[in-house]
Amino acid sequence: MKKIFLVAVSTVLFSCSKDDSATETNTGKSVYAVGQEYNGTNNVAKIWKNGVATNLTDGSQDAMARSVYVSGNDVYVAGYEENGTNDVAKLWKNGVATALTDGNHRAYATAVFVSGNDVYVTGYEYNSNNMGVVKLWKNGVVTDLTDGTLSASAYSVFVSGNDVFVSGRESNGTKNIAKIWKNGVATSLTDGSQHAEANSVFISGNDVYVSGHVSNGGPYVAKFWKNGEVTAFTDGIYQAGANSICVSENDVYVAGYEYNGTKSVAKVWKNGVATDLTDGNQYAYANSIYVSGNDVYVSGTEYNGVGGEDGFSVAKLWKNGVATNLTNGTTDAHVSAVFVK
């Protein structure tokens, strides 16, 4: 099981969006996906537009792309790239990188959201005590959302009007608490008795939706919160996670995974009803979901079983449940986020 990529820890980050302007007659939509592909030495951060890949990094250092947002003609990608010593949080605008951190400590940009002329990026940076500090950058200017006394991570950002929401987790010293920050003020979604994470946040009208997972003392249970009220998607018999959430026309879509006793199955839940994206013969994970008109796009990963020990991970995109491979499966690749415009 060493090839499992999306386990229930804070190493994988997700994003989610909704295309409010898309309609059935909009045939000019482009599909953007971001992630990374291994070149034999390092992971290369990549963006795929309608299935065509472009490298964001040259492969000389390890790098990953975690989130994508398209505004007008501009394409923003959040992620990180090593500097030879530490991971540096970065934002790419139309392929041109800007470092958000100085490289003195490990740092990760995990999500990007554009509202008007403002570009918001969230993530986290480790301090000198090796504690993760949740960060929010607005147009490159950083604000700390946690004080660094206990380790914390952020995975998603959503802007609604004048309000900025960030989701993630913060340790209480023994367990990780699922949290959201609204305009810098934290709210705990769990009581700290078991490990939990808030992977994705989405705002619809006055309602705040968050997806994540909470341990039941053993396996993680896939859950979502609406205005703090929690609903479980899975029964806790097998490990599961709710990685990304979107709301469209009062329908709640969640992408994630659940183990079947042997392998992880990539799944989408619509209003709590699960649909399997994969057959369960190989490890698979759904990382990000985007609703555009009547179309549901999901990005993720499925291993191909080729070459022993579960094989290579293939970057995948599902449209209405139909899969397209973005990579050929001869090396490991992953897709973290999808955006449609």
Side-chain angles (χ1 to χ4, degrees):
M1 295 176 63
K2 73 175 184 178
K3 297 287 272 186
I4 297 175
F5 176 65
L6 297 183
V7 292
V9 294
S10 63
T11 56
V12 182
L13 311 165
F14 315 94
S15 67
C16 172
S17 296
K18 174 189 138 194
D19 183 0
D20 292 308
S21 63
T23 67
E24 274 293 287
T25 59
N26 182 2
T27 59
K29 293 179 288 187
S30 291
V31 181
Y32 301 82
V34 296
Q36 66 275 351
E37 186 172 16
Y38 190 63
N39 67 0
T41 305
N42 295 304
N43 286 307
V44 180
K46 292 197 170 192
I47 182 168
W48 291 265
K49 180 180 179 181
N50 299 326
V52 178
T54 299
N55 292 345
L56 295 172
T57 57
D58 63 9
S60 62
Q61 301 290 340
D62 203 50
M64 293 188 180
R66 291 308 199 194
S67 176
V68 57
Y69 198 104
V70 183
S71 178
N73 294 320
D74 296 320
V75 180
Y76 299 85
V77 178
Y80 74 86
E81 184 177 16
E82 287 186 358
N83 63 4
T85 304
N86 292 311
D87 301 314
V88 179
K90 290 195 171 184
L91 176 70
W92 289 265
K93 179 181 179 181
N94 302 325
V96 178
T98 297
L100 299 174
T101 56
D102 60 14
N104 290 326
H105 301 283
R106 289 178 295 141
Y108 307 89
T110 60
V112 58
F113 195 104
V114 181
S115 178
N117 294 321
D118 296 320
V119 180
Y120 297 83
V121 179
T122 196
Y124 54 103
E125 183 177 19
Y126 286 89
N127 60 20
S128 57
N129 294 320
N130 202 34
M131 297 291 183
V133 179
V134 170
K135 305 264 181 175
L136 177 68
W137 292 268
K138 179 182 178 181
N139 303 324
V141 178
V142 67
T143 299
D144 291 350
L145 300 186
T146 58
D147 62 13
T149 57
L150 293 168
S151 199
S153 306
Y155 307 139
S156 176
V157 60
F158 198 104
V159 182
S160 178
N162 294 321
D163 295 323
V164 182
F165 297 82
V166 172
S167 70
R169 68 172 196 180
E170 186 174 20
S171 174
N172 63 5
T174 57
K175 304 291 185 181
N176 294 318
I177 300 173
K179 289 195 171 188
I180 57 170
W181 292 263
K182 178 182 177 182
N183 302 325
V185 178
T187 297
S188 296
L189 298 174
T190 55
D191 62 9
S193 62
Q194 299 292 343
H195 282 300
E197 299 187 358
N199 292 324
S200 177
V201 59
F202 192 96
I203 312 303
S204 178
N206 295 320
D207 295 321
V208 180
Y209 295 83
V210 181
S211 67
H213 50 255
V214 182
S215 173
N216 62 6
Y220 280 89
V221 179
K223 295 190 175 188
F224 91 96
W225 294 262
K226 178 182 178 182
N227 302 325
E229 296 292 327
V230 67
T231 299
F233 287 140
T234 57
D235 58 16
I237 296 174
Y238 298 118
Q239 190 94 323
N243 294 333
S244 180
I245 189 167
C246 284
V247 181
S248 178
E249 302 297 333
N250 297 318
D251 292 320
V252 181
Y253 299 83
V254 174
Y257 68 94
E258 184 179 16
Y259 277 75
N260 61 9
T262 306
K263 303 289 175 67
S264 54
V265 179
K267 293 197 172 193
V268 170
W269 291 268
K270 179 181 178 181
N271 300 325
V273 179
T275 298
D276 294 347
L277 297 175
T278 56
D279 61 12
N281 290 324
Q282 303 293 340
Y283 291 104
Y285 307 87
N287 300 342
S288 175
I289 190 165
Y290 196 110
V291 180
S292 178
N294 293 325
D295 295 323
V296 179
Y297 298 83
V298 179
S299 64
T301 300
E302 185 177 20
Y303 288 86
N304 60 13
V306 176
E309 195 67 37
D310 306 318
F312 295 105
S313 54
V314 180
K316 292 215 169 190
L317 180 70
W318 291 268
K319 178 182 178 182
N320 302 325
V322 179
T324 298
N325 293 343
L326 298 179
T327 56
N328 63 15
T330 59
T331 187
D332 283 320
H334 304 281
V335 183
S336 298
V338 61
F339 195 101
V340 181
K341 187 174 179 64

